[in-house]
Amino acid sequence: MSAVATLTSPWRGLSPAVWILVTARAVNRIGAFTLPFLGVVLTVEFGASLSQTGLILALFGAATIPSRLLGGADRLGRRRTIVLGLTGCAVAQTWIALSHALWSAVLATVLLGLAFEIYEPPSQAMIADVTSPSDRPAAYGLYSAALAAAGVLAGLLAAAISHVDLRWLFVADALTCLACAVLVALALPVDVRRETEELVVRSEEVSVWRDRRLLLLLACGTVFATIYMQLVIGVPLTLLEQGLPKSGTGFILAVSAVTLIVAQRLLRLQQFDDFRAMTVGYVLLGAGLVVTAIAHSLTIFLFAAVLWSLGDLFLLTRYLTQASGLAPEHARGRYLAVFGLSWGIATTIAPLTVTQLLDAAGPKGLWLTSAAVAAALALAQPWLRKRLARA
């Protein structure tokens, strides 16, 4: 068996629609390295204070909440919804790159938030539509692997461009958003799974807010997403506090992506059920956060990135598998949209917690606090298993 066949063996037999969505998302991911640098740009390029930067990034996070709900509404059809979201991101990224005043950058950042999450619910729902429940972990695993592979290029490109002008990061991201939109518009059918009027009506009759299992998963997912977004926003600011080069963030992103790719091939993740996998994931995530707290050189930060990236590998796909498994077929988009609010809430909270803890307790206080929360979540998994089973 060839090396390529060995590498792709877990994903053979998946629907062409899955591969198209994954390819499009990977193209977009190559340019989607601006968010970790957004706080640095606001601080360095536009002269915002640390507290102002936290507030602006919180506005971005708040704007992603209606963005996620719009993406899950299924009113325009999934393909058109994806194209709309990606085009909106491209416009906002270009606006940020062209801004010369803080107020203009703030408006562009809010617009970016309003478009940022539109893509996710329809694309994740499409993947669930065209795969059987037993194939979904493999499909979402392919999704994560493709993002990780693109993340290697994204990190290296970010490290290179950040030496020139941080604004070029946003130009590059705008171009990849447009490329992704064109690929989706040309390659995907109007709807991978056509939604009839009857299905829309039935979807509206399902009250996702009454599903206690989903709400519990949403609460736990929000805490995890907040830790994740604290890393995205806080690591570049921590490097800045430590006097390390801005390009270090790009190398950390690249190492994180390589870790996800290699570990996904070497570790037999299928032998863990969802809750055991999440326990292991939180332990690794917590260990990475502790190392981040004591790091003072780029080498140690890179080692920390390996640890918390391994934790993310165990956690990200399992949350998606759990959420998609809860949903009735005709309401899957809405379920994933509501579960995805965890990321909007986290993106609102994380900038405030990062900047406030950095201000009050420094990097060590920020990351040790986050590690303690990760440890608590690891201990809570048996309880979560029982609660979801009862509900």
Side-chain angles (χ1 to χ4, degrees), residues 78 129 189-197 199-200:
R78 287 175 180 164
D129 283 345
V190 174
D191 266 313
V192 175
R193 189 181 187 90
R194 292 187 179 275
E195 306 248 324
T196 64
E197 291 184 7
L199 288 183
V200 172

Side-chain angles (χ1 to χ4, degrees), residues 31-48 53 92-100 105 112 154-174 236-237 239-240 244-251 253:
F33 43 67
T34 53
L35 188 56
F37 289 91
L38 185 54
V40 178
V41 168
L42 292 169
T43 303
V44 175
E45 300 287 330
F46 295 101
T53 296
Q93 298 276 13
T94 303
W95 186 354
I96 292 173
L98 296 176
S99 293
H100 293 286
L112 180 61
L156 296 176
L157 188 56
I161 295 178
S162 62
H163 284 299
V164 184
D165 188 335
L166 290 175
R167 291 173 188 266
W168 283 106
L169 295 173
F170 295 91
V171 174
D173 198 1
L237 294 175
L239 293 181
L240 206 61
L244 296 172
K246 292 178 290 186
S247 59
T249 300
F251 292 118
L253 291 174

